[in-house]
Each structure stands twice: as structure tokens, then as C-alpha cells.
């Protein structure tokens, strides 16, 4: 356990070092905190735009899944501490589609989530000249329309209808060939251009790509040093940045449901927690919400070396999961 007398700021390990001084009073009202931003690869949602997700908001309309679904793992991690997420979907993906008779149905957004959609067409029980067209998501109805022909169909939040002529009854035709695709470094550069005009506190980059990391560090330096926006960027295993605006996360965590997060994925929680912290609040010894262990354990000497290198890491203590944080050297 850390200990010793306080003389000057020469401590490496986090611990209780007491140095009592008079607390200064803020000259003005502190700004709003708790806005985090993340560029993510997702299986649904509008791509290449900033989508705002508030803590506690129903994510189905925007992201196609409830917040509890594994597809939104990093969204959930970021919002454990932050009040608002500025999400940018970096991948456009391939849209799922199907043709039934004269009708073609295409998923509204690209991605694998489109493969969970099915279209059911049946004759209306009250009028034999009309058809009921139902859109199902994993068997649950998300839209229903009664029309005479294809021209009467209106696109909904999940699919786009096209074609001409009459409808033909069908017990259910699933949409197919939806794919998430991938993201390039240019997609991440486009994200940085899109997020720059927004108000935010932190950015997480859940990627191991060295080129992307370098671009995010340069972005943070420009905004902080040239624009006066004291934002922070959270990256995995990038102590070489050696800059106060960059937080380097060394290890991941294991959640109480058995999910293991890599260091890259853990950046989401770290960025959310950093954004949500008050300006006079440190995350040293802050407990990672819902975590029961770290994904990689380090010795005391390894932790000290990591802290001296400016890395954000977690030991496993008897009190639970805690974090050590050093931003600069």
C-alpha cells in the first residue's frame, strides 16, 4: 500500500497523502460536464453523422438495439458515467434487401442488423382488395400498413419499399446480405472533422491502429494548444504521446457478466468517466462500474513503470477494481 510523508509532489503510487491548503473559490460558474464522443463500428444506424445519445435514452430508434444488447457494449460503457454521448458511426455497411414479386424491400441502414428484418404480406380480413404489410424485427412487429398496392406503401424507420404494381401474399420473406463492412483511416479523419465544431469533453478511440492514434493525438494538441479547447483523447497503449491531453489506457477489465474488454474497448468507460468527472475530481481509485477483475494484472514495479510513462492502468486491490492515473511526465 502506498504511504509516506508529504514533502513535495514526488509520489508515484496512488494513496492518501495529506497536504492541507485553503480551497480556492471559482471565479465563475463551471461549464457543463459529461459529454463524451466515440467513433464506432456498428451494425445499424445512420453513418457519417454525429448522433446524440443521452444517458437513459431508448437507443432502439437510433441504433436498432436496446442499450443492454452486446452490440452496444461500448455505448453502454461510455454512458455509465457520462451524461451524453456524441456517437459517430464510421462504417456505412451493406444494406440487407429482398425482392418478393414486384416489391423490393431494402433496409434503411447498412449493417448486419438488417438481416433480422422480415416482411409479411397477407390479405386484409375485412377487405379482400387490400393487403396488410408487416415489418418484423426478430419476429416482433415494428410497422404495419394496409394498402391496395405497392404505390401505397410508405417507408418506415426500418425499411424502404420500392417497385410498382400489385402485391402478392407471403408468409414472410427475410431481408438478406446485410453486412457491417469496415472503416478506413479516412473515416476516422472524417470523424475528427465532424466532431471538431461540437462541444465535448473527451474522445475515446477504441482502435489499436497506430496511424489513427497519431491522428487523434495531433487533433488533441491542435485543439488544446491552438484553439484553447481543453479536450482530452483516450487511447489504448500509447504512452509515447507524452502529452497532458492524452490518456493512455494500459489494460482491460472483466465485467460481472463475464464479458472481457480489451484496453481499446476500455477507453469508452475511461473517456466517459473522465468527461463526467468534476473539474476538481480525480479518477485515482475510482471503481470501474460493473467490473470484477482486470484483464491483465501487473506487478507493483510494472504499475510504477506504467505510471511514470504516463499510462492509465488498473491494479486489482482488496477493495475492488481501482485506477491509477498519470497524464504527463
Amino acid at each position: 500500500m502506498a504511504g509516506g510523508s508529504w514533502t513535495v509532489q514526488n509520489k508515484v503510487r496512488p494513496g492518501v497523502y495529506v497536504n492541507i491548503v485553503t480551497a480556492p473559490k471559482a471565479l465563475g460558474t463551471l461549464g457543463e460536464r459529461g459529454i463524451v464522443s466515440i467513433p464506432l463500428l456498428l451494425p445499424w444506424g445512420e453513418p457519417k453523422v454525429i448522433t446524440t445519445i443521452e444517458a437513459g435514452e431508448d437507443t432502439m430508434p437510433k441504433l436498432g438495439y436496446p442499450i443492454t444488447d452486446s452490440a452496444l457494449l461500448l455505448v453502454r460503457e461510455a454512458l455509465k458515467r457520462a451524461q451524453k454521448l456524441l456517437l459517430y458511426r464510421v462504417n456505412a455497411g451493406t444494406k440487407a434487401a429482398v425482392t418478393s414479386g414486384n416489391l423490393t424491400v431494402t433496409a434503411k441502414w447498412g449493417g448486419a442488423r438488417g438481416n433480422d428484418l422480415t416482411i409479411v404480406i397477407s390479405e386484409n380480413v375485412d377487405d379482400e382488395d387490400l393487403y396488410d404489410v408487416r415489418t418484423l424485427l426478430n419476429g416482433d412487429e415494428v410497422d404495419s400498413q394496409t394498402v391496395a398496392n405497392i404505390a401505397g406503401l410508405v417507408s418506415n424507420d426500418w425499411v424502404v419499399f420500392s417497385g410498382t404494381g400489385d402485391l402478392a401474399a407471403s408468409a414472410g420473406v427475410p431481408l438478406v446480405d446485410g453486412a457491417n463492412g469496415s472503416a478506413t483511416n479516412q473515416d476516422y479523419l472524417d470523424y475528427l472533422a465532424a466532431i471538431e465544431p461540437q462541444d465535448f469533453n473527451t474522445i475515446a478511440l477504441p482502435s489499436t491502429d497506430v496511424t489513427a492514434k497519431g491522428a487523434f493525438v495531433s487533433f488533441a494538441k491542435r485543439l488544446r494548444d491552438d484553439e484553447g479547447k481543453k479536450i482530452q483523447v483516450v487511447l489504448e497503449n500509447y504512452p509515447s504521446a507524452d502529452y497532458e491531453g492524452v490518456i493512455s489506457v494500459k489494460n482491460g477489465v472483466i465485467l460481472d457478466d463475464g464479458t472481457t474488454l480489451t484496453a481499446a474497448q476500455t477507453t469508452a468507460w475511461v473517456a466517459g468517466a473522465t468527461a463526467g468527472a468534476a473539474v476538481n475530481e480525480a479518477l485515482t481509485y475510482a471503481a470501474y462500474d460493473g467490473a470484477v477483475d482486470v484483464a491483465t494484472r501487473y506487478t507493483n514495479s510494472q504499475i510504477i513503470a506504467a505510471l511514470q510513462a504516463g499510462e492509465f492502468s488498473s491494479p486489482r486491490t482488496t477493495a475492488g477494481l481501482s485506477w491509477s492515473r498519470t497524464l504527463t511526465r
Side-chain angles (χ1 to χ4, degrees):
M1 180 62 187
S5 301
W6 178 285
T7 53
V8 295
Q9 174 45 25
N10 60 352
K11 308 305 178 190
V12 176
R13 290 297 305 273
V16 179
Y17 307 102
V18 179
N19 184 24
I20 300 174
V21 296
T22 302
K25 184 178 180 180
L27 296 177
T29 302
L30 295 176
E32 183 184 59
R33 295 289 297 178
I35 305 177
V36 61
S37 181
I38 309 179
L40 284 178
L41 282 160
L42 292 170
W44 189 259
E46 186 174 3
K48 316 296 184 179
V49 297
I50 301 296
T51 300
T52 300
I53 307 294
E54 301 277 355
E57 178 181 346
D58 180 9
T59 54
M60 280 290 291
K62 296 177 180 178
L63 304 181
Y65 293 88
I67 190 67
T68 54
D69 195 278
S70 60
L72 301 187
L73 173 63
L74 300 192
V75 173
R76 183 168 66 253
E77 293 303 297
L79 290 174
K80 282 181 175 179
R81 292 289 183 97
Q83 66 164 350
K84 184 185 295 183
L85 169 63
L86 302 182
L87 178 66
Y88 184 93
R89 187 184 179 202
V90 291
N91 59 313
T94 302
K95 294 181 179 181
V98 69
T99 298
S100 178
N102 297 321
L103 176 66
T104 296
V105 185
T106 306
K108 184 176 182 179
W109 308 121
R113 184 56 157 168
N115 299 326
D116 296 329
L117 294 165
T118 299
I119 302 299
V120 177
I121 305 171
S122 57
E123 293 183 0
N124 185 268
V125 295
D126 297 321
D127 189 337
E128 62 182 13
D129 293 328
L130 299 179
Y131 287 88
D132 296 324
V133 180
R134 302 164 60 219
T135 304
L136 307 181
L137 178 67
N138 280 337
D140 296 326
E141 183 179 296
V142 292
D143 181 75
S144 180
Q145 303 178 42
T146 301
V147 297
N149 50 44
I150 294 175
L153 288 170
V154 177
S155 299
N156 57 51
D157 291 338
W158 296 93
V159 298
V160 175
F161 298 106
S162 61
T164 58
D166 295 329
L167 289 162
S170 171
V173 286
L175 277 66
V176 296
D177 297 330
N180 294 338
S182 59
T184 65
N185 283 327
Q186 184 59 51
D187 293 320
Y188 287 105
L189 294 177
D190 292 342
Y191 157 73
L192 293 177
I195 197 62
E196 182 171 349
Q198 306 296 321
D199 292 325
F200 61 94
N201 303 116
T202 59
I203 288 176
L205 174 64
S207 170
T208 59
D209 187 89
V210 176
T211 301
K213 291 180 188 178
F216 276 60
V217 171
S218 297
F219 177 80
K221 288 182 176 180
R222 180 171 61 80
L223 260 62
R224 291 176 62 91
D225 298 342
D226 299 340
E227 306 294 336
K229 296 179 68 173
K230 301 304 181 181
I231 59 94
Q232 291 174 292
V233 169
V234 184
L235 310 174
E236 68 92 35
N237 286 293
Y238 204 67
S240 59
D242 195 16
Y243 181 67
E244 63 182 345
V246 176
I247 300 173
S248 177
V249 178
K250 187 173 180 62
N251 52 357
V253 298
I254 300 174
L255 301 181
D256 50 16
D257 63 358
T259 301
T260 298
L261 275 66
T262 64
Q265 292 174 312
T266 304
T267 60
W269 181 89
V270 174
T274 303
V279 294
N280 61 346
E281 179 185 359
L283 293 182
T284 302
Y285 278 145
Y288 189 118
D289 309 88
V292 296
D293 203 349
V294 291
T296 303
R297 297 192 182 200
Y298 296 105
T299 64
N300 178 66
S301 59
Q302 288 174 322
I303 292 171
I304 290 176
L307 292 173
Q308 290 175 330
E311 294 182 274
F312 187 105
S313 62
S314 176
R316 178 65 180 172
T317 71
T318 56
L321 196 64
S322 61
W323 290 86
S324 306
R325 178 181 178 187
T326 302
L327 300 186
T328 62
R329 286 184 283 174

